[in-house]
Amino acid sequence: MTDSPDARRPESRTDYSYEAFGREFFETAVTKTRVESALAGLTGNAIDFGPRHAGPANLASITAKGEIRAPSVSRQEHELIRFAVVIPIYLELTVRLAAHDHRFRAHLRAHLHLTARAQRPLHVFIDIPAPTEKDVEVDIEAQGLRASVLDVVADVDGELRRFVARYIGKEIDKPNIRAMRDIDVRERLESGGPDKKRARDQGSATSRT
């Protein structure tokens, strides 16, 4: 919310409680747009699965290649600031069975739940528990596939879910994404506060003289 011109003058503002200030600060610091920005680095990341042996006597093998698509984020009604995130994954699978390759596509969705937490000392942390296989949905475009091929896919369904869950868990914990999930409020204030700005301005003015 943008302040009115009068609100920029201290004498025109009204006081309110530290608790209300803290809540409004969180509502401003952790928004749907900021969460989308934090997760934007996932989009386009490649995924490779397999080869894995499957089917009766492990006579078949399955491989998959694909990528992560843009996550969708929605705010949840909750006392805490929480978001539901769906990360789509597109895969092209190949099942090799009886010396023949059978190719088809699969669409997966990993479901995550994010919670903004206040942590000492003065940190805003976006907590994202790693997903499990139960958080991963798999939809396979099965039209025209032979029953024997579908049996092979069913044989590795759980393994594919676990693989994707582990992969997403590692991705959201990478340093670049974790840095965007962890806001050091004190550091931000000390590095960008009015005193530092005045010092920088004075330094610039001195260098020009």
Side-chain angles (χ1 to χ4, degrees):
M1 182 173 63
T2 304
D3 291 337
S4 66
D6 286 344
R8 296 173 187 171
R9 303 176 58 185
E11 62 271 17
S12 67
R13 306 177 194 143
T14 57
D15 290 347
Y16 65 147
S17 68
Y18 291 156
E19 290 79 7
F21 178 91
R23 180 73 192 195
E24 190 168 330
F25 174 83
F26 260 82
E27 293 284 356
T28 303
V30 186
T31 62
K32 177 176 179 287
T33 300
R34 290 179 189 274
V35 172
E36 288 172 338
S37 296
L39 298 177
L42 294 175
T43 305
N45 287 4
I47 293 183
D48 291 317
F49 172 81
R52 296 285 195 276
H53 293 290
N58 286 332
L59 293 177
S61 67
I62 183 168
T63 58
K65 294 182 181 295
E67 65 177 13
I68 296 177
R69 300 285 171 86
S72 64
V73 180
S74 59
R75 176 73 181 266
Q76 292 183 308
E77 292 294 331
H78 197 275
E79 179 184 356
L80 301 176
I81 297 176
R82 298 185 65 178
F83 298 87
V85 177
V86 179
I87 301 178
I89 299 120
Y90 171 77
L91 293 178
E92 293 184 350
L93 292 92
T94 302
V95 172
R96 185 161 186 81
L97 181 64
H100 290 89
D101 287 341
H102 305 270
R103 294 180 174 84
F104 53 99
R105 291 173 289 188
H107 300 274
L108 295 84
R109 291 175 297 280
H111 295 267
L112 304 178
H113 297 282
L114 285 64
T115 305
R117 301 193 184 278
Q119 296 183 335
R120 288 191 176 95
L122 280 179
H123 279 249
V124 176
F125 183 65
I126 301 175
D127 184 22
I128 314 177
T132 69
E133 63 178 297
K134 294 179 180 179
D135 299 312
V136 180
E137 296 179 81
V138 181
D139 290 328
I140 293 172
E141 296 182 7
Q143 187 175 0
L145 290 177
R146 292 163 44 191
S148 57
V149 176
L150 290 175
D151 287 343
V152 171
V153 176
D155 194 40
V156 297
D157 179 90
E159 189 175 357
L160 185 60
R161 292 172 193 264
R162 288 189 292 274
F163 171 82
V164 168
R166 287 195 302 269
Y167 179 88
I168 295 295
K170 291 178 181 178
E171 290 295 306
I172 61 178
D173 208 41
K174 283 186 174 179
N176 61 319
I177 292 181
R178 195 170 182 86
M180 296 192 70
R181 294 168 46 200
D182 192 2
I183 304 170
D184 186 335
V185 178
R186 177 177 293 161
E187 182 183 75
R188 298 285 182 94
L189 290 172
E190 291 177 348
S191 64
D195 292 340
K196 290 292 182 70
K197 184 177 186 302
R198 279 195 293 269
R200 288 195 298 268
D201 292 343
Q202 290 171 358
S204 298
T206 303
S207 64
R208 290 195 297 268
T209 58

